[in-house]
Amino acid sequence: IPVIASNILPGGAIGAGSLISAAGLSGLVGGPIGGWLVDKYGAKTTMIITGVTSGVGLMSIPFALQLPNSETVFPTWALFSASVLTWSTSVAAQNPSTTALAQELAPEGSEATAMALPRAAGDGVYLFAPLLLGTIADLDYAPIGSECFFAGLCGLLGTIVLVRQ
């Protein structure tokens, strides 16, 4: 996302840094929203809602970058930014639900260990995801943002698995 952002956003690297900072700040909004959703609707429902919105946010990035004549209604950079911020806010909103669901499903006496597992699983993804997504990004025939679409698709597939449980 930072590489795409530096080429799309006004200001180049400064624009990209601003978007990444805004995405980080989205945790200040997404986290409390996720906590409220967990309290109101439950952890699994919140995971499904935020899994869908984060997946769709990522999957919309290449479409935002490829829309014909998108400058006439919304600039490409604005559509791209909206997609990134939808994704980042949704991921932040998902965090309380993963912790709550782990705690709900944990055997008695293993709550702390269970609460650490979502973080460990997320960190485990970093062992292979950057290489895989970088490979997709380097494909000459793939449209710009294809790696974001693939990552979002993986997120949606994970959400589907959760729904079926």
Side-chain angles (χ1 to χ4, degrees), residues 35-165:
W36 178 82
L37 287 169
V38 168
D39 290 340
K40 182 139 178 94
Y41 301 105
K44 186 173 179 180
T45 300
T46 301
M47 285 182 77
I48 292 167
I49 292 167
T50 56
V52 169
T53 56
S54 66
V56 168
L58 275 178
M59 292 174 71
S60 68
I61 288 173
F63 296 104
L65 299 172
Q66 306 287 330
L67 285 176
N69 299 320
S70 63
E71 300 297 328
T72 58
V73 179
F74 295 105
T76 300
W77 66 265
L79 295 171
F80 170 74
S81 297
S83 296
V84 170
L85 293 174
T86 297
W87 162 69
S88 62
T89 303
S90 297
V91 168
Q94 193 173 47
N95 287 336
S97 64
T98 58
T99 303
L101 188 61
Q103 189 174 17
E104 287 174 18
L105 299 175
E108 177 108 13
S110 299
E111 293 86 1
T113 302
M115 289 173 50
L117 291 177
R119 174 63 192 250
D123 289 345
V125 170
Y126 284 105
L127 296 174
F128 64 88
L131 178 62
L132 178 60
L133 297 176
T135 301
I136 294 168
D138 282 344
L139 295 173
D140 290 334
Y141 56 84
I144 187 169
S146 295
E147 67 280 10
C148 297
F149 182 89
F150 182 77
L153 181 61
C154 289
L156 282 180
L157 292 174
T159 301
I160 290 168
V161 168
L162 177 65
V163 169
R164 301 200 69 191
Q165 295 297 324

